[in-house]
Amino acid sequence: MISRNGKKSFYEEAMETFGRAADLIAMNPRVRMELEEPDFEHIFYVTIETRDRLVPLTSEEAAQFRDVRPSSVKAADALEPLANGSFVLHRRALLESDIELRRGVINIPQRGVFRVQKGGPRKFKAYRIQHNQVRGPYKGGIRFHKDVSLDLFKALAADMTWKTAIAEIPFGGAKGGIKIDPFNYSREEIEHLSLRYVYKFKKFMGPYLDIPAPDVGTNPEIMAYMMRQFTDGEREMHKMRGVVTGKDVRIGGSEGRLKATGQGVVYCIEEWAREKGFLLPGARVILQGFGNVGSSAAEILHAMGARIVAVNDVNGTVYRDGGLDVPALVHHVHQNPANLRRTVAGFPGGTAISKDDFWRIDADILVPAALGEEITGDVAERLRVKLVAEGANGPTTRDGDRVLAGRKIDVIPDVICNAGGVTVSYYEWLQNQRLEHWTEQDVNERLAGALKKNYAIIRDIARDRPQKTADRDSRPYCVGREVDVRTASMILALKRIEAHYLLEGFSQ
Ligand code: NAD
């Protein structure tokens, strides 16, 4: 692949492992070409009508309006707080209220002095990258985040192609989302945005075509909006429930899906610990990201007796050497309506420390479960852990990888470590097709079996130990020499994908 200005793009960097593994297996050149770039790159725009807002004045501006009489707004839910300090102004604010406005400024006791800002139409950039579908329908998450790009989604979509092959589920790879900071929009605006995304993209989606799921900034609620928009008015709408996964269990979601990614991370850690003779009860864990993946992994590890000594997220880090009270932290982040950014910052059960100090904590296991490219070469030099279990997608840079390998810190690569989410998404899709409902125990037993088997094959490839046992056959995948685990994972993915092309052939 050609690099511009001598600097590799994020996608090009992410594809380095692909190139290495493709060389090692002497991949068919045409198949390689098919996989080097996505099948489709959809970039489109969605518009919504935003509501009026109350935007806080600076203290200097507010001083000029000191004599504006305080207003009292009676309807409790009329002002919806946003993370940037503004409030969405719902029309019901007028009901039974006593309001004074001066030149568009309002004074609300205990909240502040605000300017009323008119809402109106807004346009957002949206993406869906469909990387490959040779093994099954495109599959991958929807991300709502301010820092997304074509380059990022291309890398994440390709990762899904590898991940679904490694997890042995009959799906391909895709990823997409919207460039937005969702914390600065109301629930209703997010609903409209999600509906509009599907309205625009509907012709390219479907339970046998492209199946979205939650990712950073999205959740089961948003999946419900998307399913509704896709199925509403369709004659056989119940057949289409599998068009999105990660839904609430009451509307066709799977038991165990909410925690599946975190659960999968823990199954992989358990396997690593079993092999090393390492005991998880009492183990010291540090975790980055406390959203869906991070908080689920933390809850499961905590219940197993591990100590979560520090958690870092985008707004801060909390630390307690004896171990944080995880249920209390989950409550602080996810169940406290005043915590608008859903952050660990401000948690009273721990001490605030800097991100720099977070990386230096003496621990056994690091679980990155936030965004990509966090473990750079520099960070990897500072880590004092035995294992990095990648809950996030792409958390380690190439430099980071080289340093970790040099320092003999083990890595469980993202494509197997966080594959629990997409694996249970497949179980959800199967239940939807069959109109069945499986128990959480059923789901978790299947998940544990699938992840542990494929992680074992990856380790066989890495150590060049081809073998057939009761639960796995790694002989077709070993390449006659030892490789690092990330390359080993890619070899497993590519061999499985290549088989489809070679056995099915190409329609010219
Ligand atoms: P989420 O939106 O629920 O949580 C994201 C977390 O990351 C938040 O705690 C946020 O504060 C933190 N974060 C964001 N930017 C950060 C920064 N610069 N520094 C530190 N922390 C930061 O997202 P999620 O669904 O838990 O996904 C987390 C990661 O796991 C992502 O990389 C995602 O692609 C990956 N993943 C998610 C799933 C899934 O099922 N949700 C499946 C596989 C992989």
Side-chain angles (χ1 to χ4, degrees):
M1 265 169 285
I2 307 150
S3 314
R4 286 171 302 275
N5 315 325
K7 190 178 180 320
K8 288 201 164 94
S9 72
F10 183 67
Y11 181 66
E12 286 164 344
E13 256 213 15
M15 290 296 279
E16 274 183 14
T17 314
F18 167 83
R20 205 162 45 242
D23 286 345
L24 279 167
I25 65 166
M27 187 176 222
N28 174 292
R30 184 159 177 198
V31 176
R32 184 172 180 152
M33 206 174 273
E34 287 282 331
L35 291 167
E36 269 173 354
E37 295 293 339
D39 287 349
F40 301 100
E41 296 174 1
H42 302 270
I43 299 184
F44 52 108
Y45 291 86
V46 287
T47 60
I48 54 163
E49 211 57 62
T50 57
R51 291 251 178 238
D52 299 339
R53 278 159 165 65
L54 299 183
V55 180
L57 296 189
T58 62
S59 42
E60 283 147 41
E61 287 170 322
Q64 298 168 28
F65 292 94
R66 211 173 291 129
D67 54 341
V68 177
R69 193 164 55 84
S71 295
S72 109
V73 176
K74 292 275 166 16
D77 57 350
L79 302 179
E80 188 178 340
L82 302 176
N84 60 6
S86 297
F87 286 83
V88 171
L89 180 63
H90 294 283
R91 284 191 195 114
R92 51 189 179 276
L94 291 177
L95 296 173
E96 296 176 37
S97 291
D98 179 10
I99 285 177
E100 177 170 307
L101 270 174
R102 171 119 33 102
R103 281 186 285 136
V105 170
I106 187 168
N107 174 1
I108 304 180
Q110 272 106 52
R111 291 196 163 153
V113 183
F114 300 89
R115 183 174 302 286
V116 182
Q117 188 186 69
K118 194 174 158 358
R122 279 212 58 178
K123 182 171 70 180
F124 299 88
K125 195 165 186 175
Y127 302 83
R128 185 70 177 170
I129 308 307
Q130 297 173 320
H131 178 262
N132 189 272
Q133 62 164 351
V134 72
R135 298 183 60 262
Y138 298 112
K139 181 87 190 86
I142 298 282
R143 183 174 290 198
F144 286 181
H145 195 268
K146 59 185 171 38
D147 302 322
V148 295
S149 63
L150 174 62
D151 198 44
L152 173 71
F153 281 134
K154 277 176 72 175
L156 294 173
D159 263 350
M160 290 305 298
T161 302
W162 323 139
K163 202 180 297 182
T164 49
I166 289 168
E168 276 187 300
I169 57 178
F171 289 144
K175 203 84 169 194
I178 300 180
K179 191 170 174 63
I180 183 178
D181 183 350
F183 294 110
N184 291 337
Y185 290 84
S186 71
R187 254 179 108 136
E188 186 192 53
E189 288 163 345
I190 294 294
E191 175 178 353
H192 292 169
L193 198 70
S194 310
L195 299 179
R196 209 59 200 166
Y197 184 95
V198 174
Y199 172 84
K200 278 278 178 88
F201 198 66
K202 183 167 177 176
K203 48 187 156 309
F204 306 111
M205 285 171 68
Y208 289 95
L209 183 54
D210 185 351
I211 309 156
D215 188 68
V216 175
T218 57
N219 53 32
E221 207 171 289
I222 290 174
M223 293 307 112
Y225 302 146
M226 292 191 157
M227 180 180 75
R228 182 180 90 217
Q229 180 70 10
F230 188 86
T231 59
D232 234 9
E234 296 287 343
R235 252 162 51 94
E236 298 191 353
M237 59 187 283
H238 299 295
K239 268 192 180 169
M240 298 175 183
R241 281 183 179 268
V243 65
V244 292
T245 57
K247 303 179 290 283
D248 188 301
V249 281
R250 292 165 293 185
I251 57 166
S254 177
E255 299 291 348
R257 172 62 184 90
L258 199 60
K259 291 200 168 177
T261 308
Q263 180 67 72
V265 170
V266 177
Y267 286 144
C268 290
I269 294 176
E270 275 184 313
E271 280 305 282
W272 171 86
R274 191 180 53 75
E275 225 180 26
K276 295 268 166 188
F278 176 86
L279 290 179
L280 284 175
R284 290 167 64 82
V285 179
I286 58 174
L287 227 137
Q288 186 188 40
F290 207 69
N292 172 289
V293 180
S295 63
S296 306
E299 280 183 298
I300 299 165
L301 286 167
H302 176 78
M304 291 166 74
R307 279 181 288 164
I308 312 296
V309 291
V311 179
N312 163 262
D313 73 15
V314 68
N315 299 296
T317 309
V318 288
Y319 167 73
R320 187 168 177 271
D321 199 58
L324 293 158
D325 177 345
V326 173
L329 187 59
V330 168
H331 187 273
H332 170 81
V333 175
H334 295 290
Q335 281 135 29
N336 172 9
N339 189 347
L340 294 172
R341 284 222 172 254
R342 302 257 159 269
T343 174
V344 298
F347 178 58
T351 317
I353 60 167
S354 71
K355 188 165 178 176
D356 199 42
D357 287 341
F358 168 78
W359 296 124
R360 294 173 199 276
I361 292 173
D362 195 359
D364 300 301
I365 300 168
L366 162 65
V367 180
L371 300 186
E373 298 194 291
E374 282 287 315
I375 307 173
T376 57
D378 225 32
V379 166
E381 289 287 0
R382 281 179 264 165
L383 291 178
R384 291 159 71 192
V385 295
K386 300 179 178 71
L387 171 70
V388 175
E390 295 185 336
N393 281 312
T396 312
T397 64
R398 295 302 138 232
D399 271 354
D401 256 347
R402 279 187 279 272
V403 175
L404 293 179
R407 296 189 57 211
K408 306 248 176 307
I409 296 176
D410 288 340
V411 174
I412 308 179
D414 51 2
V415 281
I416 180 73
C417 196
N418 69 31
V422 75
T423 305
V424 177
S425 276
Y426 168 53
Y427 303 156
E428 175 175 338
W429 181 87
L430 275 180
Q431 291 170 74
N432 291 160
Q433 304 310 313
R434 301 174 182 173
L435 302 178
E436 286 179 1
H437 189 91
W438 304 354
T439 64
E440 185 167 358
Q441 192 185 347
D442 264 355
V443 168
N444 281 344
E445 275 172 14
R446 281 179 185 241
L447 174 64
L451 288 188
K452 290 182 179 186
K453 169 189 161 185
N454 287 302
Y455 183 33
I457 296 179
I458 290 169
R459 282 172 295 162
D460 285 350
I461 302 171
R463 292 169 194 154
D464 194 29
R465 284 196 202 141
Q467 57 185 303
K468 184 170 167 35
T469 66
D471 62 352
R472 70 177 189 274
D473 184 357
S474 57
R475 293 170 305 174
Y477 305 110
C478 292
V479 291
R481 52 166 278 200
E482 290 187 7
V483 291
D484 62 88
V485 268
R486 206 179 293 284
T487 308
S489 312
M490 186 65 84
I491 288 171
L492 176 60
L494 296 190
K495 285 234 178 191
R496 284 180 176 160
I497 296 165
E498 188 184 43
H500 273 261
Y501 279 107
L502 297 185
L503 294 171
E504 292 174 29
F506 289 91
S507 46
Q508 301 298 330

